Amino acid sequence: MTDTMTAEQRHRCMSHIRSKGTKPELKVRRWLWSNGYRYRLNVKSVPGKPDIVMRPYRTAIFVNGCFWHGHEGCCKIPQTNRDFWQAKIRRNRERDAANYRILRENGWQVIVIWECQLTAEHLETTMREVEMLLNSNLLSIYKRHTTLPYPTDEPEALPMAAEE
Ligand SMILES: [Zn+2]
């Protein structure tokens, strides 16, 4: 996931003006679904109303539009009404940060996916990274609940195969 921005990305940052093509959140949902992941949408009982909730993974996923949520170094703020946009985006970012904090304090893992990471070119890589995060979240839940020794924690505690 890179923070350098192409002209194409810069263009898409203005998608708050006219939305075209598949909504970013839908791209994520489709990928998850077709790769066998199940989820819930906009669960109101979970703080911050994440876009996608994966309860078994104790994970909340937010799919953020780069412009509205102020993706750092990604979108340019329009010159016209600059103060207005700056204040608005700052408020959105503060609200996002507060939501993520509440979730984490309640034992949720938070995954933020940016719109610019979901272009045809980047989608697969992004979602494979998301998949790794999901699995690592699942593993940390498993580690908390299992009474079995967890192999990578104490490899020396594992019985060694007898030498021939
Ligand atoms: Zn972005």
Side-chain angles (χ1 to χ4, degrees), residues 9-28:
Q9 283 172 308
R10 203 167 280 125
H11 178 72
R12 207 177 28 257
C13 282
M14 301 310 286
S15 63
H16 64 288
I17 293 168
R18 65 196 156 83
S19 107
K20 234 170 127 187
T22 314
K23 280 179 68 184
E25 191 196 320
L26 203 55
K27 293 185 194 172
V28 173

PDB file of all heavy atoms in Angstrom, residues 9-28:
ATOM      1  N   GLN A   9      -5.558   8.763  -9.295  1.00  0.00           N
ATOM      2  CA  GLN A   9      -6.027   8.806  -7.909  1.00  0.00           C
ATOM      3  C   GLN A   9      -6.494  10.212  -7.548  1.00  0.00           C
ATOM      4  O   GLN A   9      -7.502  10.384  -6.889  1.00  0.00           O
ATOM      5  CB  GLN A   9      -4.913   8.382  -6.957  1.00  0.00           C
ATOM      6  CG  GLN A   9      -4.696   6.888  -6.924  1.00  0.00           C
ATOM      7  CD  GLN A   9      -3.469   6.540  -6.123  1.00  0.00           C
ATOM      8  OE1 GLN A   9      -2.398   7.087  -6.362  1.00  0.00           O
ATOM      9  NE2 GLN A   9      -3.610   5.651  -5.185  1.00  0.00           N
ATOM     10  N   ARG A  10      -5.706  11.194  -7.980  1.00  0.00           N
ATOM     11  CA  ARG A  10      -6.035  12.578  -7.659  1.00  0.00           C
ATOM     12  C   ARG A  10      -7.409  12.918  -8.242  1.00  0.00           C
ATOM     13  O   ARG A  10      -8.212  13.578  -7.616  1.00  0.00           O
ATOM     14  CB  ARG A  10      -4.955  13.497  -8.242  1.00  0.00           C
ATOM     15  CG  ARG A  10      -4.863  14.831  -7.564  1.00  0.00           C
ATOM     16  CD  ARG A  10      -3.587  15.559  -7.958  1.00  0.00           C
ATOM     17  NE  ARG A  10      -2.407  15.117  -7.238  1.00  0.00           N
ATOM     18  CZ  ARG A  10      -1.299  14.681  -7.825  1.00  0.00           C
ATOM     19  NH1 ARG A  10      -1.219  14.603  -9.131  1.00  0.00           N
ATOM     20  NH2 ARG A  10      -0.267  14.313  -7.112  1.00  0.00           N
ATOM     21  N   HIS A  11      -7.629  12.403  -9.420  1.00  0.00           N
ATOM     22  CA  HIS A  11      -8.900  12.629 -10.098  1.00  0.00           C
ATOM     23  C   HIS A  11     -10.047  12.037  -9.281  1.00  0.00           C
ATOM     24  O   HIS A  11     -11.062  12.656  -9.062  1.00  0.00           O
ATOM     25  CB  HIS A  11      -8.846  12.002 -11.487  1.00  0.00           C
ATOM     26  CG  HIS A  11     -10.128  12.128 -12.245  1.00  0.00           C
ATOM     27  ND1 HIS A  11     -10.556  13.329 -12.745  1.00  0.00           N
ATOM     28  CD2 HIS A  11     -11.067  11.214 -12.564  1.00  0.00           C
ATOM     29  CE1 HIS A  11     -11.714  13.141 -13.349  1.00  0.00           C
ATOM     30  NE2 HIS A  11     -12.049  11.872 -13.245  1.00  0.00           N
ATOM     31  N   ARG A  12      -9.809  10.808  -8.797  1.00  0.00           N
ATOM     32  CA  ARG A  12     -10.861  10.098  -8.089  1.00  0.00           C
ATOM     33  C   ARG A  12     -11.176  10.744  -6.740  1.00  0.00           C
ATOM     34  O   ARG A  12     -12.220  10.541  -6.171  1.00  0.00           O
ATOM     35  CB  ARG A  12     -10.476   8.634  -7.895  1.00  0.00           C
ATOM     36  CG  ARG A  12     -11.659   7.706  -7.782  1.00  0.00           C
ATOM     37  CD  ARG A  12     -11.211   6.276  -7.665  1.00  0.00           C
ATOM     38  NE  ARG A  12      -9.910   6.184  -7.052  1.00  0.00           N
ATOM     39  CZ  ARG A  12      -8.795   5.969  -7.689  1.00  0.00           C
ATOM     40  NH1 ARG A  12      -8.808   5.809  -8.977  1.00  0.00           N
ATOM     41  NH2 ARG A  12      -7.657   5.909  -7.053  1.00  0.00           N
ATOM     42  N   CYS A  13     -10.214  11.503  -6.224  1.00  0.00           N
ATOM     43  CA  CYS A  13     -10.429  12.174  -4.948  1.00  0.00           C
ATOM     44  C   CYS A  13     -11.609  13.125  -5.002  1.00  0.00           C
ATOM     45  O   CYS A  13     -12.175  13.476  -3.992  1.00  0.00           O
ATOM     46  CB  CYS A  13      -9.178  12.942  -4.534  1.00  0.00           C
ATOM     47  SG  CYS A  13      -7.940  11.850  -3.856  1.00  0.00           S
ATOM     48  N   MET A  14     -11.946  13.529  -6.161  1.00  0.00           N
ATOM     49  CA  MET A  14     -13.072  14.443  -6.281  1.00  0.00           C
ATOM     50  C   MET A  14     -14.378  13.687  -6.484  1.00  0.00           C
ATOM     51  O   MET A  14     -15.393  14.260  -6.861  1.00  0.00           O
ATOM     52  CB  MET A  14     -12.840  15.420  -7.440  1.00  0.00           C
ATOM     53  CG  MET A  14     -11.583  16.253  -7.285  1.00  0.00           C
ATOM     54  SD  MET A  14     -11.471  17.051  -5.666  1.00  0.00           S
ATOM     55  CE  MET A  14     -12.694  18.344  -5.890  1.00  0.00           C
ATOM     56  N   SER A  15     -14.331  12.413  -6.218  1.00  0.00           N
ATOM     57  CA  SER A  15     -15.522  11.587  -6.472  1.00  0.00           C
ATOM     58  C   SER A  15     -16.669  11.935  -5.538  1.00  0.00           C
ATOM     59  O   SER A  15     -17.751  11.385  -5.642  1.00  0.00           O
ATOM     60  CB  SER A  15     -15.184  10.105  -6.365  1.00  0.00           C
ATOM     61  OG  SER A  15     -14.770   9.810  -5.057  1.00  0.00           O
ATOM     62  N   HIS A  16     -16.428  12.835  -4.579  1.00  0.00           N
ATOM     63  CA  HIS A  16     -17.557  13.280  -3.764  1.00  0.00           C
ATOM     64  C   HIS A  16     -18.499  14.126  -4.610  1.00  0.00           C
ATOM     65  O   HIS A  16     -19.627  14.369  -4.245  1.00  0.00           O
ATOM     66  CB  HIS A  16     -17.073  14.065  -2.545  1.00  0.00           C
ATOM     67  CG  HIS A  16     -16.379  15.343  -2.892  1.00  0.00           C
ATOM     68  ND1 HIS A  16     -15.133  15.357  -3.451  1.00  0.00           N
ATOM     69  CD2 HIS A  16     -16.756  16.619  -2.767  1.00  0.00           C
ATOM     70  CE1 HIS A  16     -14.786  16.619  -3.655  1.00  0.00           C
ATOM     71  NE2 HIS A  16     -15.752  17.405  -3.247  1.00  0.00           N
ATOM     72  N   ILE A  17     -17.980  14.616  -5.736  1.00  0.00           N
ATOM     73  CA  ILE A  17     -18.807  15.441  -6.607  1.00  0.00           C
ATOM     74  C   ILE A  17     -19.712  14.568  -7.471  1.00  0.00           C
ATOM     75  O   ILE A  17     -20.899  14.734  -7.502  1.00  0.00           O
ATOM     76  CB  ILE A  17     -17.936  16.389  -7.468  1.00  0.00           C
ATOM     77  CG1 ILE A  17     -17.253  17.408  -6.543  1.00  0.00           C
ATOM     78  CG2 ILE A  17     -18.779  17.098  -8.521  1.00  0.00           C
ATOM     79  CD1 ILE A  17     -16.162  18.206  -7.191  1.00  0.00           C
ATOM     80  N   ARG A  18     -19.120  13.621  -8.159  1.00  0.00           N
ATOM     81  CA  ARG A  18     -19.964  12.672  -8.921  1.00  0.00           C
ATOM     82  C   ARG A  18     -19.421  11.273  -8.691  1.00  0.00           C
ATOM     83  O   ARG A  18     -18.263  10.993  -8.911  1.00  0.00           O
ATOM     84  CB  ARG A  18     -19.973  13.057 -10.402  1.00  0.00           C
ATOM     85  CG  ARG A  18     -18.634  12.912 -11.030  1.00  0.00           C
ATOM     86  CD  ARG A  18     -18.511  13.643 -12.353  1.00  0.00           C
ATOM     87  NE  ARG A  18     -17.087  13.905 -12.570  1.00  0.00           N
ATOM     88  CZ  ARG A  18     -16.261  13.021 -13.083  1.00  0.00           C
ATOM     89  NH1 ARG A  18     -16.672  11.851 -13.443  1.00  0.00           N
ATOM     90  NH2 ARG A  18     -14.978  13.300 -13.238  1.00  0.00           N
ATOM     91  N   SER A  19     -20.265  10.426  -8.198  1.00  0.00           N
ATOM     92  CA  SER A  19     -19.787   9.078  -7.938  1.00  0.00           C
ATOM     93  C   SER A  19     -20.051   8.211  -9.157  1.00  0.00           C
ATOM     94  O   SER A  19     -21.118   8.223  -9.753  1.00  0.00           O
ATOM     95  CB  SER A  19     -20.443   8.522  -6.676  1.00  0.00           C
ATOM     96  OG  SER A  19     -21.398   7.566  -6.975  1.00  0.00           O
ATOM     97  N   LYS A  20     -19.025   7.491  -9.551  1.00  0.00           N
ATOM     98  CA  LYS A  20     -19.055   6.698 -10.780  1.00  0.00           C
ATOM     99  C   LYS A  20     -18.516   5.313 -10.461  1.00  0.00           C
ATOM    100  O   LYS A  20     -17.605   5.177  -9.666  1.00  0.00           O
ATOM    101  CB  LYS A  20     -18.143   7.356 -11.825  1.00  0.00           C
ATOM    102  CG  LYS A  20     -18.811   7.660 -13.153  1.00  0.00           C
ATOM    103  CD  LYS A  20     -17.889   8.517 -13.970  1.00  0.00           C
ATOM    104  CE  LYS A  20     -17.670   7.916 -15.354  1.00  0.00           C
ATOM    105  NZ  LYS A  20     -16.657   8.643 -16.125  1.00  0.00           N
ATOM    106  N   GLY A  21     -19.070   4.318 -11.066  1.00  0.00           N
ATOM    107  CA  GLY A  21     -18.547   2.973 -10.884  1.00  0.00           C
ATOM    108  C   GLY A  21     -18.966   2.370  -9.563  1.00  0.00           C
ATOM    109  O   GLY A  21     -19.812   2.908  -8.856  1.00  0.00           O
ATOM    110  N   THR A  22     -18.345   1.247  -9.234  1.00  0.00           N
ATOM    111  CA  THR A  22     -18.714   0.514  -8.039  1.00  0.00           C
ATOM    112  C   THR A  22     -18.267   1.251  -6.793  1.00  0.00           C
ATOM    113  O   THR A  22     -17.149   1.731  -6.716  1.00  0.00           O
ATOM    114  CB  THR A  22     -18.053  -0.886  -8.055  1.00  0.00           C
ATOM    115  OG1 THR A  22     -18.248  -1.442  -9.339  1.00  0.00           O
ATOM    116  CG2 THR A  22     -18.645  -1.780  -6.989  1.00  0.00           C
ATOM    117  N   LYS A  23     -19.150   1.330  -5.838  1.00  0.00           N
ATOM    118  CA  LYS A  23     -18.790   1.968  -4.578  1.00  0.00           C
ATOM    119  C   LYS A  23     -17.695   1.150  -3.898  1.00  0.00           C
ATOM    120  O   LYS A  23     -17.749  -0.082  -3.898  1.00  0.00           O
ATOM    121  CB  LYS A  23     -20.017   2.034  -3.662  1.00  0.00           C
ATOM    122  CG  LYS A  23     -20.960   3.173  -3.999  1.00  0.00           C
ATOM    123  CD  LYS A  23     -22.160   3.162  -3.081  1.00  0.00           C
ATOM    124  CE  LYS A  23     -21.763   3.516  -1.660  1.00  0.00           C
ATOM    125  NZ  LYS A  23     -22.899   3.426  -0.718  1.00  0.00           N
ATOM    126  N   PRO A  24     -16.706   1.850  -3.305  1.00  0.00           N
ATOM    127  CA  PRO A  24     -15.577   1.148  -2.683  1.00  0.00           C
ATOM    128  C   PRO A  24     -16.013   0.063  -1.698  1.00  0.00           C
ATOM    129  O   PRO A  24     -15.470  -1.038  -1.704  1.00  0.00           O
ATOM    130  CB  PRO A  24     -14.827   2.271  -1.966  1.00  0.00           C
ATOM    131  CG  PRO A  24     -15.182   3.507  -2.705  1.00  0.00           C
ATOM    132  CD  PRO A  24     -16.561   3.303  -3.247  1.00  0.00           C
ATOM    133  N   GLU A  25     -17.013   0.387  -0.889  1.00  0.00           N
ATOM    134  CA  GLU A  25     -17.462  -0.584   0.105  1.00  0.00           C
ATOM    135  C   GLU A  25     -17.973  -1.874  -0.549  1.00  0.00           C
ATOM    136  O   GLU A  25     -17.759  -2.978  -0.049  1.00  0.00           O
ATOM    137  CB  GLU A  25     -18.566   0.036   0.964  1.00  0.00           C
ATOM    138  CG  GLU A  25     -18.908  -0.806   2.172  1.00  0.00           C
ATOM    139  CD  GLU A  25     -20.240  -0.409   2.795  1.00  0.00           C
ATOM    140  OE1 GLU A  25     -20.516   0.799   2.869  1.00  0.00           O
ATOM    141  OE2 GLU A  25     -20.980  -1.323   3.186  1.00  0.00           O
ATOM    142  N   LEU A  26     -18.620  -1.708  -1.685  1.00  0.00           N
ATOM    143  CA  LEU A  26     -19.166  -2.856  -2.411  1.00  0.00           C
ATOM    144  C   LEU A  26     -18.045  -3.746  -2.955  1.00  0.00           C
ATOM    145  O   LEU A  26     -18.154  -4.972  -2.972  1.00  0.00           O
ATOM    146  CB  LEU A  26     -20.056  -2.354  -3.543  1.00  0.00           C
ATOM    147  CG  LEU A  26     -21.128  -3.310  -4.063  1.00  0.00           C
ATOM    148  CD1 LEU A  26     -22.017  -3.795  -2.912  1.00  0.00           C
ATOM    149  CD2 LEU A  26     -21.966  -2.625  -5.122  1.00  0.00           C
ATOM    150  N   LYS A  27     -16.960  -3.105  -3.380  1.00  0.00           N
ATOM    151  CA  LYS A  27     -15.807  -3.872  -3.872  1.00  0.00           C
ATOM    152  C   LYS A  27     -15.259  -4.768  -2.766  1.00  0.00           C
ATOM    153  O   LYS A  27     -14.923  -5.919  -2.997  1.00  0.00           O
ATOM    154  CB  LYS A  27     -14.693  -2.927  -4.342  1.00  0.00           C
ATOM    155  CG  LYS A  27     -15.032  -2.125  -5.561  1.00  0.00           C
ATOM    156  CD  LYS A  27     -13.806  -1.332  -5.988  1.00  0.00           C
ATOM    157  CE  LYS A  27     -14.152  -0.258  -6.991  1.00  0.00           C
ATOM    158  NZ  LYS A  27     -13.001   0.630  -7.255  1.00  0.00           N
ATOM    159  N   VAL A  28     -15.170  -4.196  -1.566  1.00  0.00           N
ATOM    160  CA  VAL A  28     -14.653  -4.958  -0.431  1.00  0.00           C
ATOM    161  C   VAL A  28     -15.596  -6.103  -0.098  1.00  0.00           C
ATOM    162  O   VAL A  28     -15.160  -7.247   0.091  1.00  0.00           O
ATOM    163  CB  VAL A  28     -14.459  -4.045   0.800  1.00  0.00           C
ATOM    164  CG1 VAL A  28     -14.079  -4.854   2.035  1.00  0.00           C
ATOM    165  CG2 VAL A  28     -13.411  -2.983   0.516  1.00  0.00           C
TER     166      VAL A  28
END
